Amino acid sequence: MISYFSFYRPVFMAQLLIAEFLFTCRLKKRKLFWLRYAASCILCLLFALFVPLYPNSALELSLIFIAMFSLTFALDIFVFDVPITELLMCLSAAYTVQHFAYCISNCLLLITGLNANVYGVYTEEVIVSGILPMNQAFGYIVTFTLYYLAYYLFYLFFGRRMRKNERMSLKNPSLFVISIIAIVFSVLVNAFVVFGTVNGELIIAVNLYNAVCCVFIIFVLFGTVSKIKTDNELSVVKGILKKAEEQYRISQSTIEIINIKCHDMKQQIRMIGEASSMNETAIAEISQAIAAYDCNVETGNKPLDVILTEKSEECNKNGIVFSCITDGRLLAFMKEAEIYSLFGNAIDNAIAAVLPLDKDKRSIGVNVGRVKDFVTVNVHNYFEGELRFGADGLPRTSKDDEVNHGYGLKSIRYIANKYDGNLSVEASGNLFNLNIIFPLKPSVPSPKG
């Protein structure tokens, strides 16, 4: 027993470290990462190899495995620059995947008789005796293959979902509970059932049950993470809409004041010119200067008028050609703040894309129209570089902080989905198109004919 467990401890530690790397490789790393990581792995393996820990009961066996896991957890705090909740979730998932591979390999080895001494079960008493060395060699090959496949598949379907350096903001205490359950289950249940058991059929049944439970735990862990991320994104999007509502009121009032002042100044200039016989050229130049602040857009929809007027002025100041063909009446079914937010975010993204371009490509177009039984919205602009699309089909933000940016398009998609619409983006050549299609609402007027 002692010789077997002395050999199995470093094998288990190596398996655990590989599984942990698959689920932590995308986390934010501290400086001198590879040096820190190499030192941590060496310490973990030395602990597993030389610390004289030998179990005399299932409880002691469980404590040993928990101690080895705790060591990797403590050292990973030294390696990765992430909150403890996120690190615990990733390591819990890794331990569960290792345990899944262990259970599956156990079942296959016992069923086929290819029992390799270091991989089968915890104690030498349950290892089937009389196996030929050739069978043992096949057992090693089968075990290695199963571990590789299990690790690869779990990474493919779960680990790869994590973005590089992504902050998951997992403040929900339920994740702590799930993570602890995952570890306790993986260690205690199998140890108490298998320790000292000689019934091969019972071991197979227990390992199959444990493997199914491991898959369930992984789904729960990543399902919880996905829900928390979705809730966080929804909270941010709602915050954006609330700010848009406040900004809309301010912009509406400001633009009305500017329009009134511009109109009055034009009348006053004309009167001054007539009274003093001012040169017509001088009057035209002054009127043109005022017109730069009088970019009023009328679409038949008040909030759309406000945002398009606001962005038209911004484009004018930055030398961007801004054109719009819009029937704002088609958007009467939407709330005012949502119209302001949707077009504000879309045009802001377009402005950011065209600002670095040459003057002949600094142009933005906005179209709102009706096609059969649908209301269509299109915002198009030129861009340079390569767009990276995420799993959600939206372009990834070009800013370094992906967690705190990139919510503009998510906000647009949220508004589109709210009204049963569909958002799509496409990049063809150097032209970017943002398209939204809404089903026609009963309140939408018929097109002019």
Side-chain angles (χ1 to χ4, degrees):
M1 173 65 179
I2 291 179
S3 61
Y4 165 73
F5 195 69
S6 298
F7 191 75
Y8 182 73
R9 284 202 314 258
V11 170
F12 164 80
M13 181 62 80
Q15 295 169 351
L16 181 61
L17 289 174
I18 293 171
E20 289 182 348
F21 182 78
L22 294 178
F23 286 91
T24 58
C25 61
R26 293 174 179 261
L27 298 181
K28 185 178 180 181
K29 303 168 180 63
R30 297 188 186 275
K31 295 180 179 178
L32 303 175
F33 165 75
W34 288 112
L35 181 62
R36 291 171 180 259
Y37 182 73
S40 299
C41 289
I42 292 172
L43 286 175
C44 289
L45 291 172
L46 289 176
F47 176 85
L49 187 61
F50 293 111
V51 173
L53 298 174
Y54 306 105
N56 294 313
S57 66
L59 180 60
E60 291 180 6
L61 180 64
S62 301
L63 292 176
I64 291 174
F65 283 110
I66 291 175
M68 287 192 281
F69 171 81
S70 299
L71 177 63
T72 65
F73 178 56
L75 291 175
D76 279 339
I77 295 175
F78 169 74
V79 174
F80 297 98
D81 184 18
V82 295
I84 291 178
T85 52
E86 296 179 23
L87 186 59
L88 179 61
M89 189 280 296
C90 293
L91 298 187
S92 299
Y95 197 116
T96 305
V97 169
Q98 186 279 334
H99 191 61
F100 171 84
Y102 162 84
C103 293
I104 293 298
S105 64
N106 266 3
C107 291
L108 188 59
L109 291 173
L110 288 170
I111 292 172
T112 59
L114 300 175
N115 233 5
N117 289 19
V118 282
Y119 292 104
V121 284
Y122 289 140
T123 63
E124 289 183 341
E125 287 80 6
V126 298
I127 297 175
V128 179
S129 59
I131 298 175
L132 296 174
M134 182 62 70
N135 283 5
Q136 290 187 12
F138 277 116
Y140 286 114
I141 295 173
V142 169
T143 301
F144 175 82
T145 303
L146 287 174
Y147 268 81
Y148 173 81
L149 289 175
Y151 283 19
Y152 174 75
L153 290 175
F154 274 97
Y155 172 76
L156 186 66
F157 288 104
F158 297 100
R160 201 172 61 171
R161 293 182 182 181
M162 301 168 60
R163 295 180 184 174
K164 188 176 181 181
N165 296 332
E166 179 183 21
R167 291 283 190 179
M168 290 180 278
S169 302
L170 307 178
K171 300 178 181 180
N172 194 323
S174 64
L175 202 64
F176 270 114
V177 178
I178 296 172
S179 299
I180 295 302
I181 290 175
I183 295 301
V184 172
F185 168 82
S186 297
V187 177
L188 290 179
V189 174
N190 194 73
F192 275 96
V193 175
V194 176
F195 192 91
T197 301
V198 295
N199 188 329
E201 293 180 358
L202 176 61
I203 294 175
I204 293 173
V206 169
N207 278 279
L208 286 176
Y209 171 77
N210 285 351
V212 172
C213 290
C214 286
V215 174
F216 174 75
I217 289 173
I218 290 294
F219 270 101
V220 172
L221 272 175
F222 280 88
T224 303
V225 171
S226 178
K227 184 179 183 302
I228 292 173
K229 289 170 64 177
T230 301
D231 291 344
N232 290 341
E233 289 183 358
L234 185 59
S235 177
V236 173
V237 168
K238 288 182 177 179
I240 292 174
L241 290 176
K242 186 175 181 181
K243 288 182 179 179
E245 186 175 1
E246 297 172 356
Q247 183 62 38
Y248 166 62
R249 294 195 187 100
I250 296 172
S251 298
Q252 180 183 8
S253 176
T254 302
I255 289 176
E256 286 178 355
I257 293 173
I258 291 175
N259 289 337
I260 292 172
K261 293 296 182 183
C262 287
H263 178 75
D264 291 344
M265 289 179 68
K266 286 180 179 179
Q267 295 299 323
Q268 292 173 11
I269 291 170
R270 177 58 57 186
M271 292 173 61
I272 292 172
E274 292 175 353
S276 59
S277 300
M278 183 181 291
N279 185 282
E280 289 292 332
T281 302
I283 295 175
E285 290 177 353
I286 296 173
S287 298
Q288 186 177 3
I290 295 174
Y293 297 93
D294 187 21
C295 303
N296 192 40
V297 178
E298 296 182 358
T299 68
N301 185 294
K302 195 170 184 179
L304 186 59
D305 293 347
V306 170
I307 190 61
L308 292 182
T309 298
E310 187 178 283
K311 296 306 175 184
S312 176
E313 292 176 1
E314 184 177 349
C315 288
N316 185 61
K317 292 177 183 177
N318 289 282
I320 300 172
V321 177
F322 183 79
S323 61
C324 57
I325 303 175
T326 58
D327 184 355
R329 300 177 305 157
L330 296 172
L331 302 175
F333 61 90
M334 295 176 62
K335 292 183 178 180
E336 292 184 343
E338 291 169 341
I339 294 174
Y340 184 88
S341 176
L342 186 151
F343 285 90
N345 281 311
I347 298 172
D348 282 342
N349 289 340
I351 291 174
V354 301
L355 273 178
L357 305 183
D358 295 333
K359 290 184 178 180
D360 60 334
K361 291 187 176 180
R362 286 189 178 185
S363 63
I364 297 172
V366 179
N367 299 319
V368 178
R370 174 176 175 175
V371 178
K372 294 184 178 180
D373 293 332
F374 296 94
V375 178
T376 63
V377 176
N378 170 262
V379 179
H380 55 273
N381 59 271
Y382 289 101
F383 76 98
E384 283 186 355
E386 183 178 354
L387 290 180
R388 297 179 301 150
F389 287 84
D392 56 2
L394 299 181
R396 301 271 291 274
T397 178
S398 58
K399 295 176 177 149
D400 293 334
D401 185 4
E402 291 191 8
V403 177
N404 295 317
H405 295 94
Y407 282 100
L409 284 174
K410 292 178 181 178
S411 174
I412 295 173
R413 184 178 59 184
Y414 172 81
I415 296 172
N417 291 341
K418 180 179 178 180
Y419 293 98
D420 301 321
N422 180 65
L423 166 69
S424 64
V425 294
E426 57 182 18
S428 178
N430 290 327
L431 186 63
F432 179 85
N433 277 280
L434 182 149
N435 299 299
I436 307 173
I437 299 178
F438 294 103
L440 194 65
K441 304 294 181 180
S443 59
V444 173
S446 300
K448 296 177 181 179

